Amino acid sequence: MAIKYGRPIEARLAPVETKAAQLDLSIRPRRNRKADWTRRLVAENVLTVDDLIWPLFLVDGSKTRAVVPSMPGVERLSVDEAVREAERAAKLRIPCLALFPYTDPNLRNEDGTEALNPDNLVCRAIRAIKKAVPEVGILCDVALDPYTSHGHDGLLREGVILNDETVAVLTRC
């Protein structure tokens, strides 16, 4: 069991009901937690580097870092640049990366067939990152929206999303 500031990090014990006498107070004073040390001592939640997932936004090319205008400070990275960031994440002990591809519109179609291409951007990035830093975990979104021309997560026919047909495609990815 891990302990932080003298208290177990695992599940906290549920409060025990007692039949203590009720205090007849019009105001219920609370402990003042102005000092940093008291807030840290009684913190209910602890966030560490082990809880982090580093998002990487991918783009085709090499030695490419393209600014994402809608997200200041964020860049789309080519696979080689994503590998460099993955190595950086490993040195910082960040356990996991989440990959988000930008698929060239010329590769998108109504059925999202680029998702099934074993040499698509995500597949190439996963192989390169795992070769360079095998200890880093990788998360990917299992959806067709990066690959469809209409932008929906699933197959779309006459304005209707085809759930069963979409699941069949996604299980092939």
Side-chain angles (χ1 to χ4, degrees), residues 60-98:
D60 254 324
S62 78
K63 296 185 178 156
T64 301
R65 297 180 84 90
V67 171
V68 180
S70 61
M71 294 188 285
V74 175
E75 299 172 310
R76 288 191 180 107
L77 309 171
S78 56
V79 171
D80 57 325
E81 294 293 324
V83 168
R84 290 181 59 208
E85 294 300 304
E87 290 167 340
R88 207 169 131 220
K91 286 178 186 162
L92 293 170
R93 299 191 40 81
I94 295 174
C96 187
L97 306 172

Side-chain angles (χ1 to χ4, degrees), residues 115-126:
L116 302 174
N117 176 359
D119 288 320
N120 69 29
L121 182 56
V122 169
C123 294
R124 286 183 285 131
I126 292 170

Side-chain angles (χ1 to χ4, degrees), residues 9-156:
I9 291 177
E10 281 75 21
R12 308 282 189 236
L13 296 175
V16 177
E17 302 243 352
T18 62
K19 294 186 181 188
Q22 292 242 288
L23 297 175
D24 188 22
L25 297 174
S26 58
I27 298 174
R28 296 212 173 263
R30 301 290 184 230
R31 284 186 285 178
N32 192 345
R33 297 189 178 128
K34 287 183 182 177
D36 176 63
W37 72 267
T38 57
R39 287 191 306 275
R40 287 186 298 129
L41 186 65
V42 297
E44 292 294 325
N45 300 304
V46 178
L47 180 66
T48 70
V49 71
D50 295 332
D51 300 306
L52 300 179
I53 298 172
W54 187 332
L56 295 180
F57 300 88
L58 305 172
V59 66
D60 254 324
S62 78
K63 296 185 178 156
T64 301
R65 297 180 84 90
V67 171
V68 180
S70 61
M71 294 188 285
V74 175
E75 299 172 310
R76 288 191 180 107
L77 309 171
S78 56
V79 171
D80 57 325
E81 294 293 324
V83 168
R84 290 181 59 208
E85 294 300 304
E87 290 167 340
R88 207 169 131 220
K91 286 178 186 162
L92 293 170
R93 299 191 40 81
I94 295 174
C96 187
L97 306 172
L99 304 182
F100 299 95
Y102 173 78
T103 304
D104 183 329
N106 295 325
L107 297 174
R108 300 178 193 178
N109 59 32
E110 282 210 7
D111 295 325
T113 54
E114 181 65 10
L116 302 174
N117 176 359
D119 288 320
N120 69 29
L121 182 56
V122 169
C123 294
R124 286 183 285 131
I126 292 170
R127 284 191 296 268
I129 291 168
K130 291 308 271 183
K131 182 177 180 182
V133 279
E135 68 276 12
V136 171
I138 297 178
L139 290 177
C140 297
D141 187 14
V142 179
L144 296 178
D145 57 307
Y147 308 103
T148 58
S149 53
H150 47 71
H152 285 282
D153 283 353
L155 300 177
L156 187 65

